[in-house]
Amino acid sequence: MYYKISPFIIVLLTIVIIGITAIGIRMFISNRNIAKGNGKEVSNSDIVPVLELSTNTEEENQESILITAVAKTDDEAGIYSITLPDGSATRSDTANYEVKKNGNYTFKVKGNNGQIASMAIEVKNIREASAKSPYIPTGFSHIGGEVENGFVIQDQYGNEFVWVPVESGKLTRNTLLDNDYEESTSSASALVNSVAQNYGFYIARYEASSYDVNGQKVASSMVNKSPWRNLTYSAAVEGATNAASAFGYEGYYTAIMNSYAWDTVLQWLDTSFENYSTNTSYGNYSGTIRSTGTTQSDIKNNICDLAGNVREWTTEIYKPKTKDKDSRNTENEVISETVTYRVIRGGAANLSRTASSHTGYKENMTDEYWGFRMILYK
């Protein structure tokens, strides 16, 4: 039996079929844009990017921390930029940011769809500057001792240094008000500024010995070595200053001892060892120079041979006074400006002098019983 379908029904069926097809297409497209994790149907413009933040280490007492930010999104359009805590932006989905202070650091990410998200990370393992928290230069490791009795660090070559805590941040100089002495070297000023910020510095554990680094002769601080002797003040300065670059101490400096460093060390040692600075019972005054660090009586707070063995050049200037022959007053004294005198501290195997003793010598002089020692600071 044949039934005739009216045009109205045909049109209606056509509309229904078209509608169903359109709905199916929309569902297919929408399903491709479902946000992961919540199953919620969203459009591309609704997808919010996310950040993953991490640090390069969780070890304590770090000088700096590197934060790595990784941005991700389910939107195929991708990431537009990452904004760092300092406000600068990078057109990438990864970024690194170095921090030197503890605190919370916020990063922002922007997707190419315009969506923005932010995330913060807390950094709390950076060293807080204090006398009781020594910084450890890159390439060094702590090998023994505590701050109270000599915190010792060592580099890959075997150089050893001892942390000198300065709780007040102010170095001691016993000749500060004495017009016969002057301290004006740049390394002394740099050390004063460094200690004001870091509350301590490092002194070479041993008297300087010579060490060859790629053909360059520089000062070292190593045990059981022959002290570097019989050299002028300027040669000692050169050997000490060049050690930092030769050994690769990036961001740190080495220098010959100055009056601030010497007097501060003695003040620290005197608190633990009665009259160390003014007593000749500690050092090697036997007549024979010994290898570094082998005189047991002169190892105090892990610092060796400060009192005896060899006398040590420092940067301090001594201003000897001479009679003014042109003056009617024969007792009138004027400062000689023709020759620079530098102060040598301590005693030697051939001379029983205390660690605190000062003697000025022409800086171009040498002696078999004169050497020097380094400091290390940032």
Side-chain angles (χ1 to χ4, degrees):
M1 188 175 181
Y2 176 76
Y3 295 96
K4 183 178 180 179
I5 301 175
S6 69
F8 174 77
I9 294 176
I10 292 174
V11 172
L12 181 62
L13 289 173
T14 301
I15 293 173
V16 170
I17 291 172
I18 293 173
I20 292 173
T21 302
I23 292 172
I25 293 174
R26 289 180 61 191
M27 290 181 64
F28 174 77
I29 295 174
S30 181
N31 284 338
R32 296 182 63 188
N33 294 323
I34 294 177
K36 294 181 180 181
N38 56 21
K40 182 180 179 180
E41 186 176 324
V42 295
S43 65
N44 286 341
S45 61
D46 292 330
I47 296 177
V48 179
V50 296
L51 276 169
E52 294 179 355
L53 304 179
S54 61
T55 59
N56 62 327
T57 181
E58 294 183 357
E59 294 184 6
E60 297 297 321
N61 294 323
Q62 299 298 304
E63 290 299 298
S64 65
I65 293 293
L66 188 67
I67 303 173
T68 298
V70 178
K72 296 181 179 180
T73 181
D74 290 328
D75 179 14
E76 293 180 355
I79 298 297
Y80 177 77
S81 67
I82 295 176
T83 301
L84 304 175
D86 62 3
S88 62
T90 176
R91 292 288 300 274
S92 175
D93 58 2
T94 61
N96 292 319
Y97 188 71
E98 185 181 26
V99 299
K100 296 184 177 182
K101 293 182 178 180
N102 292 321
N104 289 298
Y105 294 89
T106 301
F107 295 74
K108 294 181 180 180
V109 57
K110 182 178 182 180
N112 281 311
N113 61 4
Q115 291 287 351
I116 297 175
S118 64
M119 185 177 183
I121 185 171
E122 182 181 8
V123 173
K124 53 185 179 181
N125 54 335
I126 293 179
R127 170 188 172 268
E128 297 286 355
S130 75
K132 295 182 179 180
S133 179
Y135 55 79
I136 300 179
T138 303
F140 281 82
S141 58
H142 176 218
I143 63 169
E146 301 300 329
V147 171
E148 294 76 14
N149 58 15
F151 184 94
V152 184
I153 59 172
Q154 184 184 69
D155 70 4
Q156 60 177 324
Y157 295 90
N159 290 297
E160 297 179 21
F161 293 84
V162 178
W163 175 255
V164 180
V166 185
E167 293 187 4
S168 66
K170 296 181 179 181
L171 293 167
T172 298
R173 180 168 172 246
N174 294 334
T175 54
L176 185 62
L177 301 178
D178 191 333
N179 292 329
D180 290 343
Y181 298 92
E182 178 182 303
E183 186 67 271
S184 59
T185 58
S186 59
S187 62
S189 299
L191 182 66
V192 170
N193 294 333
S194 176
V195 171
Q197 298 177 29
N198 300 289
Y199 302 94
F201 66 96
Y202 284 99
I203 181 175
R205 188 176 190 181
Y206 307 106
E207 295 163 328
S209 52
S210 64
Y211 193 91
D212 186 280
V213 182
N214 298 322
Q216 182 181 18
K217 191 175 183 180
V218 297
S220 62
S221 174
M222 301 180 183
V223 67
N224 204 27
K225 301 292 183 180
S226 176
W228 195 355
R229 297 163 285 147
N230 209 27
L231 73 172
T232 64
Y233 166 78
S234 60
V237 169
E238 183 179 4
T241 303
N242 292 339
S245 59
F247 291 122
Y249 302 161
E250 295 185 8
Y252 297 86
Y253 304 90
T254 49
I256 193 172
M257 289 278 283
N258 55 64
S259 57
Y260 288 102
W262 194 282
D263 289 338
T264 300
V265 172
L266 291 186
Q267 183 184 55
W268 179 48
L269 294 178
D270 280 343
T271 62
S272 300
F273 306 95
E274 186 176 4
N275 299 323
Y276 174 82
S277 65
T278 57
N279 196 312
T280 57
S281 63
Y282 295 102
N284 168 33
Y285 310 111
S286 66
T288 301
I289 296 174
R290 298 172 183 167
S291 298
T292 57
T294 59
T295 301
Q296 293 300 312
S297 61
D298 202 5
I299 302 177
K300 304 302 177 188
N301 285 358
N302 284 323
I303 301 171
C304 305
D305 305 313
L306 196 65
N309 207 38
V310 298
R311 307 188 78 188
E312 302 181 22
W313 282 111
T314 69
T315 62
E316 189 171 30
I317 295 174
Y318 171 62
K319 298 180 289 187
K321 295 177 180 178
T322 59
K323 302 297 182 180
D324 184 356
K325 297 181 181 180
D326 296 328
S327 173
R328 293 182 180 180
N329 182 3
T330 58
E331 296 302 318
N332 186 36
E333 294 180 330
V334 296
I335 299 174
S336 173
E337 297 180 349
T338 57
V339 179
T340 300
Y341 286 69
R342 299 287 176 172
V343 173
I344 288 183
R345 303 295 297 266
N350 70 332
L351 183 65
S352 182
R353 291 283 182 88
T354 66
S356 62
S357 67
H358 291 66
T359 309
Y361 292 97
K362 296 177 182 180
E363 62 180 15
N364 59 354
M365 291 178 63
T366 64
D367 190 274
E368 183 65 21
Y369 291 88
W370 296 355
F372 66 102
R373 185 186 302 260
M374 292 188 292
I375 53 173
L376 171 69
Y377 59 94
K378 64 183 299 187

